Amino acid sequence: MKIAVIGAVAAGTSAAAKARRTNKEAEIVVFEKGIDISYAGCGLPYYISDIIEERDQLLAFTAQTFADKYGVELRTEHEVKEIDPAKKMIYYDHLAESKKGGYEYDKLIIATGATAIEPPFPGLELNNIFTLRSVNSADKIKAAVNSGQVKKATIIGAGLIGLEMAEAFSERGIEVTVVELQEQVLPQFSPEMAELVAEHLEAKGVKLILGDGVDHFAGEKELAKVVTASGKEIEADLALLSIGIKAETELAQKAGIEVGESGAIKVNQKLETNLKDIYAAGDCAESTDLLTNKPVWIPLGSTANKQGRTAGENAAGGDAKHYGILKTGITKIFDLTAATTGLTLEEAEAAGIDAFEVKIKARNHAGYYPGAAPIHLKGVFEKESGVIVGAEVIGGSGSDKRIDVLATAIYNRMTADELFQVDLAYAPPYSSPKDPAAVLGMVAAKKL
Amino acid sequence: MKIAVIGAVAAGTSAAAKARRTNKEAEIVVFEKGIDISYAGCGLPYYISDIIEERDQLLAFTAQTFADKYGVELRTEHEVKEIDPAKKMIYYDHLAESKKGGYEYDKLIIATGATAIEPPFPGLELNNIFTLRSVNSADKIKAAVNSGQVKKATIIGAGLIGLEMAEAFSERGIEVTVVELQEQVLPQFSPEMAELVAEHLEAKGVKLILGDGVDHFAGEKELAKVVTASGKEIEADLALLSIGIKAETELAQKAGIEVGESGAIKVNQKLETNLKDIYAAGDCAESTDLLTNKPVWIPLGSTANKQGRTAGENAAGGDAKHYGILKTGITKIFDLTAATTGLTLEEAEAAGIDAFEVKIKARNHAGYYPGAAPIHLKGVFEKESGVIVGAEVIGGSGSDKRIDVLATAIYNRMTADELFQVDLAYAPPYSSPKDPAAVLGMVAAKKL
């Protein structure tokens, strides 16, 4: 059996490794356009901030160490240009050697990932305008910062990566302005929770311009100003476009592989596409929202990893399922953690769930124990059943714990009362006799 | 309606507060033997270590502030000596004024707590031999430590409190020896996990004597030595008896209230005792093990709080249930967190569950992000169903998160595969793309 994998970051390498574990005999060949494989995309902001000093720390494997460990062939600088599903062939360019070639597969896993969106803003060709996606792109940003020439940076987009980069630039002594089209930062959060993050950013010296977008970039060769749609002129030596990413599906679509409304490849729970023997996984593929049972595209490393594993197992002859996701996300923004899982009230209502929300403020642990910090929790509960369907947590240390407990609660359709009753661990350095997650359940149960 | 509550620490105050919220009209009177109410029993080691500097920080309320806030009458220094269920009377001694009195109740909540076990070891009358249970007892220990005369302390018992006190004394510059009858520290943990804690204690300079008990205390007026059953002589200026606690049930038993095999008061899910209109809650009462459905007695502040609340609501005319517990426990021991929930393999087998265990070591978060530390996780899974029924977590920061996720998983009878699939939050400062809890599920699923 011959298994081809296109892409060697999170999903591709997970797929190849799991395929090998599932099938000792198969020939497994991974085609990767770039040179770096299996890099920590989520670690890039920390590489730029110098929290991670060495580039190598971002790379779990080199092509060689991965190939040796898993007994697969890893062809870097191989860009796959065409899939021919009828002939079960893929055709590639070997970039380094300017050669072309083909490979006949029995099973194919597409893990082409996603790329940063770069709208054709006037002035985009100026120096020092970046996107952040690969280690290469991070190298370029880090080099610019290391040059010492960057005093002011403007970040376009206040999503997870945009805000992580606001922290990273600030850590490097750069004055940061964030421009966001929506009226709030972190658009996946409810406005009142996002407001807590905005306040924290401003307290840390980050300037926010909300409800405004880029009109153009101004400067002569070097970027000098970001000019917004409303006419604001922001001085900037560097701009980071962090508007969002789009699934890399061109190759798949040309081969007749179906793409969903999200723009990512449609897959079932086995990670099969509409074409026989072709799987898709990771940032290029959709998942299922476990609460609405609808396709959803939330490209994250954790999902890519799991999907890759499932696709690899199935391609190699196994029978695995990726159930779906809760859209759980988390980010560290200076001293604050912001995390979300499940549905917002708006999303619940859009999905036909009659819901209400509860918001509480609690301490991460006993008030008398050092390091006590406030945590804001919001829960979305179904009115009739009292089942929790969504949560947001914003606060100090221990916020990550509560989102994971709440994600597990949502996965299990726990009621508000059950959330209060579940026997969470208490000792003063870790919690209070009534854990914040339990208090959220308690307050919601009262409203039922 | 007249509601009497006996005891004003965790369960008693929770009961009184919830009774008031449930019933605005009732007369609620709380009888407390001591002066301090609603104190943080779990915070006492940190008071002695000076992490908590002020005694007042341990007290959530004074009798007056509590009475004012909840509109209840709080009678401190009132020791209830007798319950007459037929006449619905309780009789008390008012200790401060050497008076006696009686109170007629409609509903009675017993929250008498538990007391430290002090076997009649020879030499127990010597100075500087303590138990730790109330703020008063902590005051005495703290005074001894503050005197500067204590250079060497011996702790009898290596349970949660014993080990927390080992840290507290060490923090105060005292040389600590811990003597434990069992062959391991933390007897509620499996031996191999407890061994990790033992190694950490020894690395921190704490001496451990396992599989040995106290024969007698030696000295003249002042304690000089602890002599063990095996004949070891341990020089000691201070000894702390931390062998365990027993439920305070004498009053209840004299009134005909049934006590379970654990020695604590039998209650149903409504916290009713066998006698009409009498409830029990907190450290004096049993709970139900949610995994075996059998009565269990694990006296902890978190359970006391919830039980008190349930008893208070029911006594005041409500209809609440306390489902039961998973025996979740956690403790900080120097730089290590040790936590447990559900059943050990031994307990599972004793309960007739055909189970197996899985042990993994993982990092708390991305290895390249600062503060990465190992976490050891053990899971106990039912063979046939793959359902997780128990877990232990020992390691660095983030261990508390994993035990709470696993407790929530156990509560919900999640399978190993579901534990792998659940969408936990990932970003480098918080986790890895595959969270340690998910890896535990993944490894267990492979074994099925």
Side-chain angles (χ1 to χ4, degrees):
Chain A
M1 178 191 277
K2 294 164 87 175
I3 300 171
V5 181
I6 307 174
V9 188
T13 52
S14 295
K18 184 64 182 172
R20 170 57 70 228
R21 276 189 234 106
T22 306
N23 186 328
K24 303 286 177 225
E25 307 303 324
E27 176 177 299
I28 301 170
V29 184
V30 185
F31 297 86
E32 167 58 42
K33 191 164 60 171
I35 292 173
D36 298 317
I37 72 144
S38 195
Y39 60 82
C42 305
L44 299 176
Y46 307 105
Y47 172 55
I48 294 165
S49 72
D50 269 354
I51 283 178
I52 300 170
E53 286 177 25
E54 301 296 331
R55 189 183 197 276
D56 282 356
Q57 293 176 264
L58 291 170
L59 304 171
F61 291 99
T62 64
Q64 194 58 54
T65 57
F66 187 85
D68 290 349
K69 176 163 181 184
Y70 292 104
V72 304
E73 194 182 330
L74 218 159
R75 302 189 189 171
T76 52
E77 296 184 271
H78 280 65
E79 183 173 5
V80 176
K81 304 295 281 187
E82 196 196 332
I83 302 167
D84 183 339
K87 293 188 180 152
K88 288 198 159 186
M89 285 291 294
I90 56 175
Y91 299 99
Y92 57 81
D93 286 358
H94 185 177
L95 304 172
E97 302 185 4
S98 301
K99 282 187 197 163
K100 289 177 187 297
Y103 182 81
E104 191 178 357
Y105 64 81
D106 295 308
K107 304 278 181 178
L108 174 66
I109 299 167
I110 300 174
T112 42
T115 46
I117 294 171
E118 288 185 74
F121 295 123
L124 199 62
E125 72 289 351
L126 291 169
N127 280 337
N128 278 358
I129 302 176
F130 301 103
T131 58
L132 177 66
R133 186 79 195 143
S134 61
V135 188
N136 271 344
S137 63
D139 286 336
K140 287 177 195 158
I141 299 170
K142 188 158 178 160
V145 173
N146 286 349
S147 75
Q149 301 301 306
V150 179
K151 307 294 177 201
K152 295 181 176 185
T154 294
I155 295 168
I156 323 297
L160 300 178
I161 301 295
L163 297 190
E164 282 167 8
M165 284 306 300
E167 179 181 349
F169 285 137
S170 295
E171 292 289 334
R172 298 296 303 267
I174 296 168
E175 210 182 296
V176 179
T177 303
V178 177
V179 178
E180 165 62 47
L181 208 54
Q182 311 241 11
E183 293 290 346
Q184 65 172 70
V185 300
L186 297 177
Q188 64 269 62
F189 285 74
S190 61
E192 61 176 335
M193 296 295 270
E195 181 59 26
L196 299 167
V197 176
E199 283 165 13
H200 188 68
L201 284 163
E202 283 172 339
K204 292 290 181 178
V206 173
K207 283 179 203 145
L208 297 178
I209 298 177
L210 302 177
D212 204 351
V214 172
D215 183 77
H216 66 281
F217 297 104
E220 307 201 8
K221 200 174 168 211
E222 304 293 324
L223 173 69
K225 278 179 189 169
V226 178
V227 182
T228 72
S230 77
K232 285 197 183 71
E233 302 194 359
I234 311 158
E235 284 182 36
D237 314 304
L238 183 152
L240 177 72
L241 277 176
S242 189
I243 291 168
I245 60 176
K246 60 172 189 292
E248 195 56 83
T249 59
E250 203 188 323
L251 179 68
Q253 282 186 284
K254 277 197 306 184
I257 293 169
E258 254 185 87
V259 160
E261 271 177 47
S262 69
I265 298 170
K266 276 193 183 181
V267 287
N268 62 17
Q269 284 195 326
K270 293 183 162 196
L271 278 312
E272 294 166 336
T273 66
N274 62 309
L275 296 188
K276 193 167 178 308
D277 297 328
I278 303 183
Y279 301 81
D283 289 357
C284 66
E286 291 184 332
S287 181
T288 302
D289 185 323
L290 286 170
L291 294 159
T292 64
N293 282 317
K294 291 200 173 141
V296 68
W297 182 62
I298 304 286
L300 286 174
S302 42
T303 305
N305 215 293
K306 286 177 194 162
Q307 286 190 328
R309 209 181 134 76
T310 302
E313 182 165 346
N314 289 337
D319 182 22
K321 276 183 188 169
H322 166 72
Y323 301 165
I325 60 171
L326 300 169
K327 303 187 296 173
T328 310
I330 191 166
T331 181
K332 177 183 167 300
I333 299 160
F334 294 96
D335 312 327
L336 214 59
T337 297
T340 175
T341 185
L343 307 175
T344 61
L345 184 60
E346 234 176 27
E347 289 173 328
E349 283 168 354
I353 299 169
D354 193 14
F356 65 99
E357 61 182 20
V358 167
K359 189 167 168 274
I360 65 156
K361 185 180 172 183
R363 283 206 196 90
N364 55 349
H365 62 235
Y368 55 77
Y369 192 85
I375 298 185
H376 301 263
L377 296 96
K378 183 184 268 194
V380 180
F381 296 84
E382 197 188 2
K383 271 186 195 160
E384 206 184 316
S385 63
V387 163
I388 183 164
V389 295
E392 295 171 49
V393 180
I394 291 179
S397 71
S399 296
D400 61 325
K401 172 161 77 175
R402 277 63 189 213
I403 206 71
D404 275 358
V405 167
L406 293 169
T408 310
I410 291 168
Y411 180 92
N412 289 293
R413 321 257 156 178
M414 286 177 86
T415 63
D417 185 41
E418 285 183 302
L419 190 55
F420 170 65
Q421 298 261 357
V422 65
D423 190 13
L424 301 175
Y426 165 58
Y430 306 107
S431 185
S432 296
K434 283 200 282 279
D435 189 83
V439 173
L440 188 71
M442 184 181 88
V443 173
K446 267 189 223 164
K447 289 202 173 184
L448 282 165
Chain B
M1 177 192 279
K2 294 165 89 177
I3 300 171
V5 181
I6 307 174
V9 189
T13 52
S14 294
K18 184 64 184 174
R20 170 56 71 227
R21 277 189 235 106
T22 308
N23 186 327
K24 304 282 178 231
E25 308 301 325
E27 177 177 297
I28 301 169
V29 184
V30 184
F31 297 85
E32 167 58 43
K33 190 162 65 171
I35 292 173
D36 299 316
I37 71 142
S38 194
Y39 60 82
C42 305
L44 300 176
Y46 307 105
Y47 172 53
I48 293 164
S49 72
D50 269 355
I51 282 179
I52 300 170
E53 287 177 23
E54 300 296 331
R55 188 183 198 278
D56 283 356
Q57 293 176 263
L58 292 169
L59 304 170
F61 292 99
T62 64
Q64 195 58 54
T65 57
F66 186 86
D68 290 348
K69 176 164 181 184
Y70 293 104
V72 303
E73 195 183 327
L74 217 160
R75 301 189 188 172
T76 52
E77 298 183 90
H78 279 65
E79 183 174 7
V80 176
K81 305 294 280 185
E82 195 195 332
I83 301 167
D84 184 337
K87 292 188 180 154
K88 289 197 156 185
M89 285 291 294
I90 56 175
Y91 300 99
Y92 57 82
D93 286 359
H94 185 177
L95 303 171
E97 300 184 5
S98 303
K99 282 187 194 162
K100 288 177 185 296
Y103 182 81
E104 190 178 359
Y105 64 82
D106 295 307
K107 304 278 182 178
L108 173 66
I109 299 167
I110 300 174
T112 42
T115 47
I117 295 171
E118 288 185 75
F121 296 122
L124 199 61
E125 73 290 352
L126 291 169
N127 278 340
N128 278 359
I129 302 177
F130 300 103
T131 58
L132 176 64
R133 187 77 198 145
S134 61
V135 187
N136 272 343
S137 63
D139 286 335
K140 286 177 195 158
I141 299 170
K142 188 158 181 159
V145 173
N146 286 348
S147 75
Q149 301 300 305
V150 179
K151 308 291 179 202
K152 295 180 178 190
T154 294
I155 296 167
I156 324 297
L160 300 178
I161 302 296
L163 297 191
E164 283 168 6
M165 284 306 299
E167 178 181 349
F169 286 137
S170 295
E171 292 287 333
R172 300 295 303 266
I174 296 168
E175 209 182 297
V176 179
T177 302
V178 177
V179 179
E180 165 62 47
L181 208 53
Q182 310 242 12
E183 294 290 347
Q184 65 172 73
V185 301
L186 296 176
Q188 64 269 61
F189 286 73
S190 61
E192 61 175 336
M193 295 295 271
E195 181 58 25
L196 298 168
V197 176
E199 284 165 15
H200 188 68
L201 284 162
E202 284 172 340
K204 292 290 181 179
V206 174
K207 284 179 203 146
L208 297 178
I209 297 177
L210 302 177
D212 204 352
V214 171
D215 183 80
H216 65 280
F217 296 103
E220 306 200 7
K221 199 173 172 212
E222 303 295 324
L223 172 69
K225 279 180 190 169
V226 178
V227 181
T228 72
S230 77
K232 287 197 183 71
E233 301 195 357
I234 310 158
E235 284 182 35
D237 314 305
L238 183 153
L240 177 71
L241 277 175
S242 190
I243 291 169
I245 60 176
K246 60 174 192 289
E248 195 55 87
T249 59
E250 202 188 322
L251 179 68
Q253 281 186 284
K254 278 196 307 185
I257 292 169
E258 253 185 86
V259 161
E261 272 177 45
S262 69
I265 298 169
K266 276 191 183 180
V267 288
N268 60 18
Q269 284 196 326
K270 292 182 162 194
L271 278 312
E272 294 165 336
T273 67
N274 62 312
L275 296 188
K276 193 169 176 316
D277 297 329
I278 302 184
Y279 301 81
D283 289 356
C284 66
E286 290 183 333
S287 182
T288 302
D289 185 323
L290 286 171
L291 293 160
T292 64
N293 283 318
K294 289 193 175 149
V296 67
W297 182 62
I298 305 285
L300 287 173
S302 42
T303 305
N305 215 292
K306 287 176 192 163
Q307 285 190 327
R309 210 181 132 77
T310 302
E313 182 166 345
N314 289 336
D319 180 22
K321 276 183 189 171
H322 166 72
Y323 300 165
I325 60 171
L326 301 169
K327 303 188 296 173
T328 310
I330 191 167
T331 181
K332 178 185 166 300
I333 299 159
F334 295 96
D335 311 327
L336 215 59
T337 297
T340 176
T341 184
L343 307 176
T344 61
L345 184 60
E346 232 176 29
E347 288 173 330
E349 283 167 355
I353 298 169
D354 192 13
F356 66 100
E357 60 182 21
V358 167
K359 189 168 169 271
I360 65 155
K361 184 180 172 185
R363 283 206 196 89
N364 56 350
H365 62 236
Y368 55 77
Y369 193 85
I375 299 185
H376 300 262
L377 296 96
K378 182 184 266 195
V380 180
F381 296 84
E382 198 188 1
K383 272 186 195 159
E384 205 184 314
S385 63
V387 163
I388 183 164
V389 296
E392 296 172 49
V393 180
I394 292 181
S397 72
S399 296
D400 60 324
K401 173 163 75 174
R402 276 64 188 213
I403 205 71
D404 276 357
V405 167
L406 293 169
T408 309
I410 292 169
Y411 180 92
N412 289 293
R413 322 257 158 178
M414 285 176 88
T415 63
D417 184 43
E418 286 184 302
L419 189 54
F420 170 65
Q421 297 262 356
V422 65
D423 191 14
L424 301 175
Y426 166 58
Y430 306 106
S431 185
S432 297
K434 283 200 281 280
D435 189 83
V439 174
L440 189 71
M442 186 182 84
V443 174
K446 269 189 225 165
K447 290 203 173 183
L448 283 165

